[in-house]
Amino acid sequence: MAADQPQIYELNNGTMVVNISNFGCTITSLSVPDKNGKLADVVLGFDTVEPYVQGAAPYFGCIVGRVANRIKNGKFTLNGTQYSLPINNPPNSLHGGLKGFDKRIWEVAEYMKGNNPSITFKYRSSDGEEGYPGDVSVTATYTLTSSTTMRLDMEAVPESKATLINLAQHTYWNLAGHNSGNILDHTIQIWASDITPVDENLIPTGELKPVKGTPFDFTAEKKVGLSIHEVGLGYDHNYVLSGGEEKSGLKHAAKLKDPSSSRVLHLWTNAPGMQFYTGNYVNGVVGKGGAVYNKHAGLCLETQGFPNAINQPNFPSVVVQPGGKYQHTMLFEFSVE
């Protein structure tokens, strides 16, 4: 089933419909019902694969890797060897470099239809690719596990050398519909009592900062736009996940709600952190159906290892040994309330 061309595959269980491309494992559309049963596509993106391939998307819908988020100055040392990565987000390396996992064609290893449709993508990242050490075999499986729930299982196994692995799903959500305007009226709750504050180059300082009494506090449901003007361009911060109840080994990370449609997204994960990003740099991108996406048109809930963890000994390690396995699961539960 090796498809060498970028294309789009559909998962449809009769209630929700998700389109995913083998180019970057990218969710190009995801349609779920509102309180009246009306379907709307709630992710930013393009109608065809071409704009993704041409680089028009600021990471819309894709899986980013080998290492998500920023690595300070694009440098790290592992087992005594110093590695230099492409500086694609000066002065740092971002989301795996110039041609990360989001810009690769993945192989379709399995594609199942039916009540619990699923698709499994495979990619083999070679030793030295984008500056990273070691061959790595990666799989990503999207499954519609119930009428309005999608599960993503990401796995990666280093074949010969220890390496860094930190994958993230970079979908931009707008539960009112991708073409509805901005997400400032959405409410969000994030199960995190700390963030990892950053320096002027968006690299964590290494400390954990309590959110209590700050604009970063979403421990109770709060409107996204309420204090956004107090945090510069908007939110683009790693939240330290804690305290959420568990469901089949996953912790509750976030609850997102759009008041106009009553759509709700509950996100569960086994990752230690989550980048909450409010689409601060989206500017005049022409997307599906000619919709124009501007600042705050969508928001990202990127569960992840902490940014620059390789250079911060007190952060959870993102190093995976040969024969070890990186496993990252996300559960997206949609509902109305």
Side-chain angles (χ1 to χ4, degrees):
M1 278 195 286
D4 306 330
Q5 296 303 311
Q7 42 187 297
I8 293 173
Y9 301 84
E10 183 184 84
L11 301 182
N12 185 343
N13 61 8
T15 306
M16 68 184 292
V17 184
V18 185
N19 285 307
I20 308 168
S21 176
N22 58 335
F23 185 78
C25 291
T26 300
I27 298 171
T28 62
S29 73
L30 188 153
S31 299
V32 285
D34 68 1
K35 59 183 181 242
N36 301 315
K38 184 171 179 285
L39 281 181
D41 180 357
V42 297
V43 305
L44 305 194
F46 302 105
D47 290 313
T48 62
V49 290
E50 281 76 28
Y52 297 98
V53 175
Q54 287 156 12
Y59 301 102
F60 286 166
C62 58
I63 290 179
V64 293
R66 181 176 307 194
V67 176
N69 217 295
R70 293 175 178 87
I71 293 180
K72 183 178 181 174
N73 298 329
K75 288 193 168 18
F76 67 92
T77 300
L78 184 60
N79 294 340
T81 303
Q82 190 181 55
Y83 295 92
S84 289
L85 310 172
I87 307 296
N88 61 323
N89 184 254
N92 306 312
S93 191
L94 175 69
H95 290 334
L98 297 167
K99 194 177 177 184
F101 292 3
D102 64 300
K103 296 175 181 70
R104 306 279 176 173
I105 294 180
W106 295 51
E107 176 194 341
V108 178
E110 190 176 53
Y111 183 29
M112 316 269 281
K113 309 234 168 164
N115 289 337
N116 298 112
S118 70
I119 189 162
T120 298
F121 298 100
K122 272 190 180 167
Y123 178 64
R124 189 166 181 275
S125 179
S126 55
D127 185 15
E129 183 177 299
E130 293 298 308
Y132 290 97
D135 298 317
V136 180
S137 294
V138 192
T139 62
T141 302
Y142 293 91
T143 310
L144 303 190
T145 51
S146 78
S147 61
T148 52
T149 304
M150 179 178 72
R151 181 181 171 114
L152 169 59
D153 291 292
M154 295 173 271
E155 292 192 351
V157 177
E159 293 173 16
S160 52
K161 291 182 191 172
T163 191
L164 285 53
I165 303 172
N166 179 20
L167 307 182
Q169 217 301 337
H170 209 299
T171 291
Y172 289 70
W173 303 98
N174 186 326
L175 297 182
H178 75 98
N179 55 352
S180 66
N182 67 52
I183 43 76
L184 298 178
D185 283 339
H186 281 48
T187 59
I188 193 168
Q189 182 172 2
I190 301 174
W191 277 268
S193 45
D194 299 275
I195 58 166
T196 51
V198 294
D199 65 17
E200 68 280 5
N201 292 320
L202 300 177
I203 295 292
T205 59
E207 64 194 310
L208 303 186
K209 183 182 172 193
V211 296
K212 193 174 164 67
T214 76
F216 299 99
D217 188 350
F218 291 96
T219 50
E221 218 166 306
K222 186 175 93 179
K223 199 177 269 199
V224 171
L226 185 68
S227 319
I228 199 168
H229 57 280
E230 297 173 46
V231 293
L233 289 174
Y235 296 97
D236 190 5
H237 295 78
N238 174 57
Y239 280 72
V240 179
L241 298 175
S242 65
E245 70 229 83
E246 289 221 347
K247 173 181 287 198
S248 53
L250 306 177
K251 47 194 173 185
H252 211 168
K255 174 193 178 185
L256 182 65
K257 181 178 179 183
D258 164 51
S260 65
S261 65
S262 301
R263 284 189 192 89
V264 174
L265 166 58
H266 283 275
L267 175 60
W268 306 74
T269 187
N270 63 346
M274 183 185 79
Q275 192 82 5
F276 174 45
Y277 172 53
T278 47
N280 311 329
Y281 302 105
V282 179
N283 181 12
V285 179
V286 180
K288 287 174 278 195
V292 179
Y293 305 136
N294 285 309
K295 188 178 181 182
H296 309 319
L299 59 79
C300 303
L301 304 170
E302 308 159 55
T303 62
Q304 61 179 5
F306 295 0
N308 195 39
I310 187 63
N311 294 313
Q312 279 293 353
N314 55 324
F315 283 0
S317 175
V318 292
V319 175
V320 185
Q321 301 297 333
K325 186 186 277 188
Y326 167 92
Q327 287 177 301
H328 180 181
T329 295
M330 303 174 79
L331 193 67
F332 304 88
E333 274 189 324
F334 297 91
S335 57
V336 291
E337 68 171 41

